[in-house]
Amino acid sequence: MSYASLSVKDLTSLVSRSGGTGSSSSPKLPGQTRPVKVIPLQHPDTSDEARPPSIPFDDILSRWRAKIKRMSLVDWVETLFPCFRWIRTYRWSEYFKLDLMAGITVGIMLVPQAMSYAKLAGLPPIYGLYSSFVPIFVYAIFGSSRQLAIGPVALVSLLVSNALGGIADSSEEELHIELAILLALLVGILECIMGLLRLGWLIRFISHSVISGFTSASAIVIGLSQVKYFLGYNIARSSKIVPLVESIIAGADKFQWPPFLMGSLILVILQVMKHVGKAKKELQFLRAAAPLTGIVLGTTIAKVFHPPSISLVGEIPQGLPTFSFPRSFDHAKTLLPTSALITGVAILESVGIAKALAAKNRYELDSNSELFGLGVANILGSLFSAYPSTGSFSRSAVSNESEAKTGLSGLITGIIIGCSLLFLTPVFKYIPQCALAAIVISAVSGLVDYDEAIFLWRVDKRDFTLWTITSTTTLFFGIEIGVLVGVGFSLAFVIHESANPHIAVLGRLPGTTVYRNVKQYPEAYTYNGIVIVRIDSPIYFANISYIKDRLREYEVAVDKYTTKGPEVERISFVILEMSPVTHIDSSAVEALKELYQEYKARDIQLAISNPNKDVHMTIARSGMVELVGKEWYFVRVHDAVQVCLNCVQSSSNLEDKKPSFLRRFGNNGSNNNNNSSSYTDLQSYNTLLKEPLLPVEK
């Protein structure tokens, strides 16, 4: 490995030109020295008048006030109604045709899917259409994404079914409907609160592997729950795989061929059309038309042949949903955990999809504003008999592939749903249940993310473990337990990483003044008597104990690396490279003070390199700068090494004159002002120290 840097000869000539002391024309042999300039570190002014400590909330409020003052009337309108951003710049001749085709395509796809997902949620099919009507119009006004297609989705429908099944019996249809509508209201309120308070960042602590494992397991449960429409007999209603499989096996003697053959035929057609539409861009319309094709085919067969063993959807009310307010909030407390979970799914999936589509189509999208738009859509939707809606990955992908440009495509989709409610519901009563089940199974088959599991196994075994734990617990113990266990392990890993940060012993790369991790760069060498440690994280109360333990270990472990410099029997200097440290709290400062006292008792000097502004200010205010001594704070690791190396050389040359070199190069400026080597003494050298000239590496 080679490094683009000055050679020893170049460095010598550079110092000679700068007029440094000790530069001579005589050849320099190994063991001789050359001047090295140490860059002085400017210490902050810690007086209260200079810069009083600020409270974080004051900074946040001041930024908000400044932002509000800068906002014009147009900015306020666009913030409250994001649709004005695309309305003001709409190009009718260019965008309208694309939005019209995208809206029609998604609408054709949504009508059968909405009815299928409503059945999955344990509701009459009409409520799937209701959930696809008002929320779409509201989101087009308050939502930020121009391609996101919202409405019922499989995962949320399963969560709704699971939550309602734990409260009401399946025979209590009216209570089921009422609870589903109340759940939409609670979800909308939570989404609005999190959006207004800008709390969407909380979900970042949940690993993507947890979401993937949970989604994959849920997709399997959804698929098994729909098998009953293929088999022709009822199975247990559960979110766990064992009761589902047991009930499927127990009822095998009731198996009927007609629904199985019809459902399987429609499922094969759906899968073929979906894959052909994905593979060939010119045939992508097949992907959107697949659900409608399955519905038309199943309805035609049922209408023509009237097979008695195939159950049909039955009568569906005709007309648009009417305004109504939830009659009772008795079960609101019970539904809160599920509403929080659905909100989490909305943040992770819907907002994630929306941000990806915004980046692809080159416009800005604020995730908190998007979350607020979803919340308003659910709140107003619940007033018109909708159950929770969120962004659909498959329909959003179709919308983007159909080149939707603005939210007008969503309005057109809503118009199609409205027309279906007004004119097509009499036809829907002939739709076979197995056709709706085939649509659900086809949709969730893509959610089983086995490719992600293979990728995690190859890249990161820890994330693969998270994926496996989450998917397994979701399958065998239910959705709530699976989510709690997955989130718990995810947070545990975050806490473990934070409490056990990466710490590296640094060595000098040959021919450079660059210091890197000796494990990553085996050719890097260290100096006898000096340990250089880099801490790659903030330092706070949770990890300072671990950091102190590692520092004690490195005093011994550093001997196994290639070392250079004067021969010494023990470690005399520990240099902390703090440039990666973004924050340090009071507990960590106190612990560092204790560590310094411990080092001092063992005749070891602590040096600190390149703390950032905030860290440096915290250390200065704590009095640690005076405790350690200003002369032991450096801009660069290399400067610290040269000062320490000079001390090691001096001590090895004068060890018969001085009992300890630390008495010459004193370090406690606050307690011993008479030390012969204070900060002023180092300045008397004009910060020109002697660095050993090492042989040139070949």
Side-chain angles (χ1 to χ4, degrees):
M1 187 180 295
S2 62
Y3 304 92
S5 60
L6 295 173
S7 65
V8 174
K9 181 178 179 181
D10 295 331
L11 286 171
T12 305
S13 61
L14 182 62
V15 172
S16 299
R17 288 197 300 271
S18 66
T21 61
S23 60
S24 64
S25 58
S26 60
K28 299 199 178 282
L29 301 174
Q32 290 182 310
T33 59
R34 69 173 184 270
V36 176
K37 184 171 183 179
V38 176
I39 303 172
L41 179 65
Q42 300 296 323
H43 291 278
D45 185 355
T46 58
S47 63
D48 292 337
E49 294 79 9
R51 184 176 181 265
S54 60
I55 301 173
F57 290 113
D58 290 343
D59 293 338
I60 295 172
L61 290 174
S62 63
R63 287 198 298 268
W64 273 59
R65 282 195 293 265
K67 183 178 180 181
I68 290 173
K69 289 179 181 178
R70 292 195 303 266
M71 291 179 66
S72 63
L73 178 60
V74 174
D75 294 331
W76 277 107
V77 172
E78 290 183 350
T79 300
L80 296 174
F81 304 98
C83 61
F84 278 94
R85 295 173 187 168
W86 57 263
I87 289 176
R88 291 194 305 114
T89 58
Y90 197 83
R91 304 174 187 173
W92 286 93
S93 60
E94 184 179 347
Y95 291 166
F96 181 72
K97 183 179 179 181
L98 296 173
D99 283 338
L100 179 64
M101 294 305 299
I104 293 173
T105 303
V106 174
I108 291 172
M109 187 179 184
L110 177 57
V111 170
Q113 277 192 350
M115 293 189 290
S116 303
Y117 293 150
K119 292 292 293 181
L120 174 61
L123 301 170
I126 190 65
Y127 286 91
L129 296 175
Y130 289 164
S131 302
S132 307
F133 182 57
V134 172
I136 286 181
F137 286 103
V138 176
Y139 180 81
I141 298 171
F142 292 96
S144 303
S145 177
R146 303 174 188 180
Q147 287 80 29
L148 186 70
I150 74 162
V153 297
L155 183 55
V156 171
S157 298
L158 176 65
L159 294 173
V160 171
S161 173
N162 191 60
L164 303 187
I167 299 175
D169 189 77
S170 57
S171 60
E172 300 177 272
E173 186 176 276
E174 288 298 323
L175 181 57
H176 263 256
I177 295 170
E178 186 178 332
L179 292 176
I181 294 171
L182 176 60
L183 187 59
L185 178 63
L186 295 176
V187 168
I189 292 172
L190 278 179
E191 289 174 339
C192 285
I193 291 173
M194 293 191 72
L196 288 172
L197 298 180
R198 308 187 73 81
L199 297 178
W201 58 270
L202 290 172
I203 308 298
R204 298 175 194 168
F205 288 99
I206 303 177
S207 168
H208 175 72
S209 54
V210 169
I211 301 303
S212 176
F214 168 71
T215 304
S216 299
S218 299
I220 295 173
V221 171
I222 291 170
L224 289 175
S225 69
Q226 297 298 296
V227 168
K228 63 181 179 181
Y229 298 113
F230 279 48
L231 302 178
Y233 58 87
N234 287 327
I235 61 175
R237 184 174 180 178
S238 175
S239 62
K240 304 173 187 176
I241 191 171
V242 174
L244 288 171
V245 173
E246 286 178 345
S247 62
I248 290 172
I249 296 173
D253 57 324
K254 303 175 185 176
F255 174 76
Q256 298 182 33
W257 280 104
F260 178 79
L261 292 176
M262 178 184 286
S264 300
L265 174 64
I266 294 174
L267 180 59
V268 170
I269 292 173
L270 292 175
Q271 291 294 91
V272 170
M273 293 180 70
K274 184 168 71 173
H275 286 291
V276 171
K278 283 183 178 180
K280 297 185 178 181
K281 189 174 181 180
E282 62 273 13
L283 298 176
Q284 65 182 15
F285 68 91
L286 292 177
R287 181 182 177 186
L292 183 62
T293 303
I295 290 294
V296 171
L297 178 61
T299 303
T300 302
I301 294 174
K303 183 72 172 173
V304 174
F305 297 101
H306 303 286
S309 57
I310 295 180
S311 60
L312 304 179
V313 169
E315 292 292 336
I316 294 180
Q318 189 172 5
L320 301 178
T322 57
F323 178 85
S324 63
F325 198 78
R327 289 175 290 181
S328 172
F329 290 86
D330 295 340
H331 298 284
K333 187 176 180 180
T334 309
L335 293 173
L336 274 178
T338 302
S339 61
L341 184 55
I342 294 174
T343 302
V345 171
I347 297 173
L348 291 164
E349 297 295 332
S350 300
V351 177
I353 296 167
K355 292 187 74 172
L357 292 175
K360 191 171 184 179
N361 290 275
R362 299 180 182 180
Y363 62 89
E364 294 184 2
L365 183 140
D366 179 63
S367 56
N368 291 291
S369 175
E370 179 68 12
L371 190 57
F372 178 78
L374 286 170
V376 175
N378 273 306
I379 290 174
L380 295 182
S382 69
L383 302 179
F384 291 89
S385 304
Y387 78 93
S389 300
T390 190
S392 165
F393 179 81
S394 59
R395 294 195 298 271
S396 299
V398 169
S399 176
N400 185 63
E401 289 168 3
S402 301
E403 300 185 49
K405 294 298 181 182
T406 66
L408 182 61
S409 61
L411 296 176
I412 294 169
T413 300
I415 291 172
I416 291 176
I417 300 296
C419 292
S420 301
L421 287 168
L422 289 172
F423 307 114
L424 299 180
T425 51
V427 181
F428 293 159
K429 68 179 180 180
Y430 297 107
I431 298 176
Q433 301 269 25
C434 59
L436 295 179
I439 292 173
V440 173
I441 295 173
S442 175
V444 300
S445 62
L447 297 179
V448 183
D449 202 356
Y450 53 85
D451 288 334
E452 178 73 8
I454 296 171
F455 171 79
L456 293 176
W457 171 260
R458 190 171 63 248
V459 174
D460 192 334
K461 297 295 190 296
R462 188 192 66 177
D463 280 345
F464 176 78
T465 303
L466 264 180
W467 189 95
T468 305
I469 290 172
T470 306
S471 58
T472 303
T473 51
T474 302
L475 282 174
F476 289 95
F477 298 100
I479 293 173
E480 291 85 357
I481 301 297
V483 170
L484 288 176
V485 171
V487 171
F489 271 91
S490 182
L491 291 176
F493 282 166
V494 170
I495 294 170
H496 180 270
E497 285 294 316
S498 178
N500 299 272
H502 180 262
I503 302 175
V505 174
L506 304 185
R508 183 175 177 179
L509 296 178
T512 74
T513 58
V514 176
Y515 293 78
R516 291 292 182 266
N517 187 347
V518 293
K519 290 184 178 179
Q520 185 177 359
Y521 298 90
E523 63 273 25
Y525 57 83
T526 60
Y527 289 104
N528 291 317
I530 303 173
V531 180
I532 312 166
V533 179
R534 187 186 68 214
I535 303 169
D536 294 329
S537 78
I539 307 177
Y540 69 114
F541 64 92
N543 64 15
I544 186 61
S545 178
Y546 174 85
I547 292 171
K548 288 171 67 177
D549 291 342
R550 297 290 79 76
L551 289 174
R552 294 187 187 102
E553 290 179 7
Y554 291 148
E555 290 180 40
V556 179
V558 76
D559 293 339
K560 66 183 180 181
Y561 304 111
T562 304
T563 57
K564 297 190 179 185
E567 292 293 334
V568 294
E569 297 179 354
R570 52 184 293 278
I571 296 297
S572 301
F573 292 93
V574 174
I575 301 172
L576 296 184
E577 157 65 313
M578 298 186 71
S579 58
V581 179
T582 57
H583 170 74
I584 186 170
D585 71 356
S586 57
S587 300
V589 171
E590 290 301 317
L592 286 180
K593 287 183 178 180
E594 294 173 6
L595 181 66
Y596 166 75
Q597 296 294 351
E598 181 183 327
Y599 279 157
K600 182 181 178 183
R602 300 207 308 272
D603 223 17
I604 298 175
Q605 173 62 50
L606 179 68
I608 294 177
S609 167
N610 196 24
N612 72 27
K613 182 179 179 182
D614 293 334
V615 171
H616 198 176
M617 179 64 75
T618 303
I619 291 174
R621 286 201 175 109
S622 70
M624 191 173 173
V625 171
E626 289 75 18
L627 179 67
V628 176
K630 291 184 177 181
E631 66 272 23
W632 296 109
Y633 288 79
F634 301 91
V635 174
R636 301 182 302 168
V637 173
H638 187 62
D639 294 347
V641 170
Q642 299 315 306
V643 171
C644 296
L645 204 54
N646 193 65
C647 295
V648 172
Q649 286 181 304
S650 300
S651 65
S652 63
N653 294 334
L654 302 173
E655 58 184 357
D656 53 342
K657 297 181 180 180
K658 295 285 183 180
S660 170
F661 67 86
L662 285 176
R663 295 176 188 174
R664 180 184 176 199
F665 292 91
N667 48 38
N668 192 344
S670 61
N671 299 328
N672 186 3
N673 295 325
N674 296 321
N675 288 331
S676 59
S677 181
S678 64
Y679 190 50
T680 307
D681 295 328
L682 287 178
Q683 286 183 319
S684 67
Y685 283 93
N686 292 323
T687 65
L688 291 172
L689 304 173
K690 304 295 183 180
E691 177 193 9
L693 271 179
L694 299 172
V696 179
E697 283 79 3
K698 295 182 180 179

